Amino acid sequence: MEKAQRKKEARIQRQLAQEKKRRNMRIMVWSLSGLFVLLIAALIVFWPKPAPLSFEYDKSPLLGNADAKVKIMEFGDFKCPTCAYFSQNIMSKIKTEYIDTGKASLSFQNWTIIGPDSTTAALAGLAIYHQNNDAFWKFYDALYTNQPPESESWATVDYLVDTAKKQNLGIDYDLLRKDIENKTYADELAAQNNFAVAHNFTGTPSVLVNGKKLDDNTALNYDNLKAAIDKALKEADK
C-alpha cells in the first residue's frame, strides 16, 4: 500500500516538474517574442531613412517655378496608360493648385519599360525639349490625352512628328525627325533609365516629392498626393 502511494506521489511530482518545465518554456518563448517585437520596433524607429534623391532639375523638362519650395519629379513612359491617367486626372489638378501658384514645380524624366514605342516616343520628347521646354509640355499633354491602346504599335516617327505639328509647337520639325531617326538623345535616355533601375523604381509613373519616392497609393490618389505636397511645403518652411 505504501509502495503504491509512493509511486503515485512520484508520478505527481514528475507531472508537476514537467508542467513547470513547460511553463518556463512558455515564459521564455513569450519573453523572446516580446524582445523580438521590441527589436523590430527599435529598428523601424532608429533605422536611418534613405536620403532624398538629388536631381539637376534644370536639366530636365520643367513646368513651373524653378525655385519652387516643392519639386515633383515624374519618371514616366508615354506608352503607359497609368501615366496617362496620372497626367490627365491627378497632375492636372496639382498644376492648378500648386504649380500655377508657384508653390511647386514638375519635372519629367523617362523610364521606358513597356516596349519599342516607349523608346521612340521618349526620344521624340527629348528632342523637342532640347529645342524648347514649353513645347515639350504641349507635346507631353498631347501624347497622354490622345494615347492609343497599349496593345497597339503607334509611336512611329511620322506619328510623333505629326503630333508635334498639330500642336503648333513652333520648333524645327525637320530637326525633330532627324533627332528621332538618329537617336540623338539615346545616351540621355539611357542615363534616365539606368537611374530608375539603380534606385529600384517599381513601375511608371514613379513620382518623387523633393527627392522622396512616393508609393503608388500616394502618387495615384489626388488627396494623398496633395497631403504629401502640403507636408513637404511645411518642412520647407521650417
Side-chain angles (χ1 to χ4, degrees):
M1 188 71 176
E2 291 181 2
K3 185 176 181 181
Q5 182 65 29
R6 285 196 298 272
K7 286 183 177 181
K8 182 179 179 180
E9 291 176 354
R11 184 173 68 253
I12 292 172
Q13 290 299 321
R14 287 195 300 272
Q15 290 174 344
L16 290 173
Q18 290 172 355
E19 177 58 31
K20 183 178 180 181
K21 185 177 180 180
R22 285 193 293 269
R23 186 172 63 253
N24 290 339
M25 182 61 70
R26 286 196 296 270
I27 292 171
M28 183 175 69
V29 169
W30 292 336
S31 298
L32 290 174
S33 298
L35 287 172
F36 181 74
V37 170
L38 289 173
L39 177 61
I40 294 298
L43 286 172
I44 292 172
V45 172
F46 296 107
W47 191 268
K49 293 179 173 61
L53 300 177
S54 60
F55 299 94
E56 294 181 287
Y57 292 96
D58 59 342
K59 294 186 178 180
S60 297
L62 177 69
L63 186 65
N65 182 0
D67 297 323
K69 293 179 180 179
V70 173
K71 294 177 172 58
I72 305 166
M73 174 64 78
E74 174 195 355
F75 277 76
D77 185 327
F78 287 118
K79 180 95 172 180
C80 167
T82 309
C83 294
Y85 171 82
F86 173 78
S87 169
Q88 300 302 304
N89 297 283
I90 297 176
M91 189 47 64
S92 58
K93 298 176 183 178
I94 295 296
K95 180 178 182 298
T96 300
E97 186 167 357
Y98 293 97
I99 297 175
D100 291 347
T101 57
K103 297 176 182 177
S105 65
L106 171 65
S107 298
F108 179 86
Q109 293 197 15
N110 299 280
W111 189 19
T112 53
I113 61 174
I114 294 179
D117 274 4
S118 307
T119 298
T120 310
L123 290 171
L126 285 167
I128 292 171
Y129 160 66
H130 281 285
Q131 288 198 49
N132 185 287
N133 178 75
D134 292 339
F136 168 85
W137 290 105
K138 293 179 182 178
F139 184 72
Y140 167 102
D141 283 334
L143 285 188
Y144 281 137
T145 300
N146 303 293
Q147 185 188 70
E150 184 181 352
S151 58
E152 294 181 9
S153 295
W154 53 266
T156 64
V157 177
D158 285 342
Y159 177 90
L160 295 165
V161 173
D162 287 345
T163 297
K165 288 180 177 178
K166 288 176 181 177
Q167 302 308 308
N168 297 315
L169 299 185
I171 61 172
D172 186 332
Y173 299 108
D174 290 334
L175 178 58
L176 170 60
R177 180 179 293 274
K178 179 181 176 182
D179 283 339
I180 300 171
E181 292 176 340
N182 293 341
K183 301 181 179 179
T184 302
Y185 299 102
D187 288 346
E188 186 172 344
L189 175 58
Q192 294 176 5
N193 283 330
N194 290 338
F195 184 95
V197 172
H199 292 90
N200 301 311
F201 292 177
T202 55
T204 52
S206 284
V207 181
L208 302 94
V209 171
N210 284 353
K212 298 178 182 178
K213 173 74 170 60
L214 305 180
D215 58 45
D216 288 347
N217 185 52
T218 302
L220 298 176
N221 179 289
Y222 173 73
D223 290 334
N224 294 344
L225 179 55
K226 184 179 183 302
I229 295 172
D230 287 338
K231 179 181 178 182
L233 283 169
K234 289 180 180 178
E235 291 175 349
D237 286 334
K238 289 181 180 179

